[in-house]
Amino acid sequence: MAARRPAARVVTGASAPPDGLWADASRAFVRWLDGDPSGLDELVAVMTPVLWHVVRAYRLPQEAAEDVVQSTWLALVRRRTAIADPAAVGGWLTTTARRESWRVAKAGQHVAPAADEELAARLPAESSAETSAVEADSRHRIWSAVDALPERCQRLLRVVAFERRPDYQSLASDLDMPIGSIGPTRGRCLAKLRVALVQAGEI
Amino acid sequence: MSEMSREDLLDVVRRVHEERDPVPDDLVARMQAAAAFAASDLDAELLGLMELVDRSDELVGARGTATYTLRFVHGETDLLVRVAVEDGASRIDGWVVPPEAMTVRAGTFVASVTDTGRFELTGLPLGLHRLSLEPHDITRPAFSTPTFEI
């Protein structure tokens, strides 16, 4: 683990580290609003990966997940003037994507389908050539530690990990949790993950 | 490493998902295309959208060929478009009534309207297209058709 840690991270414990992603997204959005079409391209390039992971946290199958990401972009284009604060465009996008995921997941009852088997099956291929057996083992143990978390924890942590600063109000309704319990739940989920990593010998 | 901060743990979570559920290869490119297309629709709406008033299919000939005509109206201008597809190659013949000097664009394809109101566009790829009509009289606003499929 230690080797893969970003070397220069300053651990403040107080707030999320300065995150270039959201600033890049806002700048691109403003450029597009000012009439430069490449601003939209860049915004899509910057935020699509984040949206993908947020949407997949709801365990939607690939095709449904891609549809949600696309609906989110179409909503942005149609409602661009409704986004009062360009600095908030990242949060607007992730919140919109979560709401739509939640709606689609509920409507279709896409319950934790084959996705997990699919994912597990990718492991050997990815750990073949360039990684040593030791690294592959380590990676597998880390994956298992994440997998062993309760589903609610997995979803919450994935959303939080990619959104960085999610809006608790919308998160609470999308995850079907009281707003007051998001913070404590996140803390408990992280503690569980820490324990699992210790037990796996990864810390 | 004995302590992992909250951020370190979230890094672990991020990395795990990036490794085994990566963003599909072409997703960004497809989303860029979808967003750009939606944005061009929006621009067209701001410009003034022609209304599709009629569509008729001609008899289908040999396999792989199709011909149909579309009629659009915007203000005083009538636009008749005949679309022909043969073996994947397309041809658009257009008539503007009343005739007016204009530039017609379909993406990067460009044509000029003749004195008699005719124009043609050839070799458009199959897919969604819209024609935008830009009168040479710059006091007149440009307008465009809704998207249609070739």
Side-chain angles (χ1 to χ4, degrees):
Chain A
M1 270 322 296
R4 291 214 208 115
R5 249 180 109 196
R9 162 142 294 149
V10 177
V11 179
T12 64
S15 62
D19 189 350
L21 208 67
W22 301 94
D24 289 348
S26 309
R27 272 195 300 273
F29 181 55
V30 169
R31 260 188 26 235
W32 177 54
L33 290 180
D34 288 344
D36 177 358
S38 75
L40 181 58
D41 268 0
E42 189 186 327
L43 177 61
V44 174
V46 166
M47 288 300 296
T48 292
V50 176
L51 297 180
W52 170 257
H53 286 286
V54 167
V55 170
R56 289 283 273 182
Y58 289 82
R59 305 217 164 194
L60 296 178
Q62 172 149 349
E63 200 171 315
E66 292 185 1
D67 285 350
V68 170
V69 174
Q70 177 160 320
S71 306
T72 305
W73 286 119
L74 298 186
L76 173 91
V77 169
R78 294 199 191 103
R79 297 179 195 170
R80 56 181 160 182
T81 53
I83 302 168
D85 178 11
V89 69
W92 188 92
L93 285 164
T94 51
T95 301
T96 303
R98 264 195 279 114
R99 292 216 168 116
E100 180 66 4
S101 302
W102 179 231
R103 193 187 65 73
V104 171
K106 268 208 302 200
Q109 291 302 312
H110 295 296
V111 278
D116 286 21
E117 283 84 41
E118 253 172 59
L119 297 174
R122 284 194 205 165
L123 177 58
E126 291 204 1
S127 59
S128 59
E130 76 280 19
T131 51
S132 72
V134 174
E135 279 177 10
D137 267 8
S138 162
R139 181 186 288 187
H140 194 204
R141 281 196 298 272
I142 294 169
W143 288 14
S144 302
V146 172
D147 283 346
L149 294 171
E151 168 150 8
R152 176 168 288 200
C153 279
Q154 290 187 41
R155 176 173 299 173
L156 178 62
L157 290 186
R158 188 172 186 176
V159 168
V160 171
F162 284 93
E163 280 199 45
R164 317 286 173 118
R165 284 164 286 175
D167 161 40
Y168 276 22
Q169 182 86 54
S170 65
L171 197 56
S173 68
D174 296 345
L175 295 175
D176 213 9
M177 295 165 71
I179 184 166
S181 77
I182 297 270
T185 303
R186 182 182 68 171
R188 277 196 298 277
C189 291
L190 285 171
K192 279 181 187 163
L193 177 59
R194 187 183 281 118
V195 167
L197 289 171
V198 168
Q199 284 172 348
E202 292 298 326
I203 298 184
Chain B
M1 178 171 166
S2 56
E3 269 302 307
M4 283 189 108
S5 73
R6 191 175 80 186
E7 286 307 317
D8 291 330
L9 288 164
L10 289 174
D11 275 350
V12 169
V13 172
R14 230 175 355 251
R15 200 160 47 232
V16 165
H17 291 300
E18 280 170 350
E19 280 172 0
R20 67 175 178 177
D21 187 21
V23 181
D25 278 344
D26 56 349
L27 186 65
V28 166
R30 281 188 283 124
M31 294 304 109
Q32 284 173 327
F37 201 84
S40 77
D41 251 17
L42 205 69
D43 292 341
E45 278 163 33
L46 297 176
L47 282 178
L49 197 59
M50 301 192 83
E51 191 186 347
L52 176 66
V53 291
D54 194 22
R55 174 186 167 127
S56 62
D57 296 300
E58 294 175 18
L59 277 179
V60 175
R63 209 177 147 80
T65 69
T67 307
Y68 55 92
T69 52
L70 304 169
R71 187 172 155 237
F72 302 98
V73 173
H74 180 69
E76 300 296 302
T77 303
D78 240 58
L79 169 66
L80 195 66
V81 170
R82 182 171 180 272
V83 181
V85 179
E86 190 165 344
D87 294 333
S90 73
R91 176 183 175 85
I92 288 182
D93 288 289
W95 292 268
V96 176
V97 182
E100 180 181 357
M102 307 186 187
T103 300
V104 180
R105 292 179 203 278
T108 56
F109 292 78
V110 184
S112 292
V113 177
T114 66
D115 295 347
T116 56
R118 301 183 62 121
F119 67 91
E120 60 178 62
L121 290 161
T122 55
L124 268 65
L126 303 189
L128 290 173
H129 291 281
R130 67 161 4 115
L131 302 178
S132 69
L133 284 71
E134 301 161 8
H136 290 179
D137 174 358
I138 56 166
T139 64
R140 299 238 303 137
F143 46 95
S144 90
T145 69
T147 52
F148 57 90
E149 188 164 13
I150 295 185

